[in-house]
Amino acid sequence: MAEDKSSGQDGAIAEFTALREEIIARHNNQQSLLSIQLTAAGALFSLALSGADKAAVLLVLPLVTYLLAGRHVAHSYACHSIAAYISTELSGRVRGGLGWETWLQPRRSSPRRYPVLNPLSISFPGISVLALLGSLPFLASLSMSGTTVILWTAWLMGVILTISSLRLVWKIRSDSFM
């Protein structure tokens, strides 16, 4: 019987180790997503600044931002789910428990008073806002044509995607500290 408990505990510890490795991998993926976002933003802003007629490339950023922010948030939720599983299900199967999640919970800081100043808000939707504002002078200078209608439609879709990105980032930020 003691061997059953020992092997059950060994299995729980092995599961804990695998889950912590998954959390680390997801955090590394989040860092990669942030790097891709900043690289894409830098490249597209550089291209747009190289000539006034190239400002329309900025309209790609809200879409890129939305997609990357969505993946970033998905990794955050997965990490929170794993942490909850470790705390509620796995810890009880190990003699003495796995105290990391229990220890961490009261030490988490509260969300910032000004969520717009959250680095994720700046890195994801903030960049989209700058792209949309940066493309406005170019769009306003265009004469009415089919291309102009398409570009203004892209701009409006960019506004919607930027708002969606902001909601994603704010939601994960507030859920992280519950």
Side-chain angles (χ1 to χ4, degrees):
M1 177 117 171
E3 279 186 40
D4 287 343
K5 282 187 178 182
S6 177
S7 65
Q9 182 168 312
D10 290 344
I13 290 172
E15 187 177 359
F16 171 78
T17 301
L19 290 171
R20 291 305 298 173
E21 287 175 7
E22 183 175 345
I23 287 173
I24 291 167
R26 287 181 177 278
H27 280 296
N28 288 338
N29 286 337
Q30 285 180 304
Q31 287 303 115
S32 295
L33 291 168
L34 180 60
S35 295
I36 292 167
Q37 169 69 0
L38 296 176
T39 301
L44 291 173
F45 274 106
S46 294
L47 182 60
L49 291 172
S50 71
D53 59 330
K54 295 182 178 141
V57 299
L58 293 176
L59 297 175
V60 173
L61 271 173
L63 175 63
V64 170
T65 294
Y66 175 73
L67 296 173
L68 294 174
R71 292 304 313 144
H72 192 283
V73 167
H75 283 302
S76 291
Y77 276 118
C79 289
H80 292 301
S81 295
I82 293 168
Y85 173 78
I86 289 170
S87 180
T88 61
E89 301 293 325
L90 201 55
S91 185
R93 295 180 9 211
V94 175
R95 190 173 359 132
L98 298 168
W100 171 247
E101 300 303 331
T102 305
W103 178 86
L104 183 62
Q105 193 66 29
R107 287 166 179 77
R108 287 189 170 151
S109 62
S110 61
R112 293 190 172 121
R113 173 178 253 166
Y114 304 105
V116 175
L117 297 179
N118 173 356
L120 288 179
S121 296
I122 294 168
S123 300
F124 288 105
I127 286 174
S128 289
V129 168
L130 288 176
L132 292 169
L133 292 175
S135 65
L136 269 178
F138 171 72
L139 293 175
S141 72
L142 296 175
S143 58
M144 187 51 78
S145 70
T147 302
T148 304
V149 170
I150 291 170
L151 290 174
W152 276 107
T153 302
W155 189 88
L156 289 172
M157 291 301 298
V159 169
I160 292 167
L161 291 172
T162 299
I163 292 167
S164 297
S165 297
L166 186 60
R167 290 186 63 188
L168 282 171
V169 169
W170 278 2
K171 179 143 179 52
I172 192 62
R173 179 73 177 154
S174 62
D175 288 352
S176 296
F177 295 96
M178 292 179 73

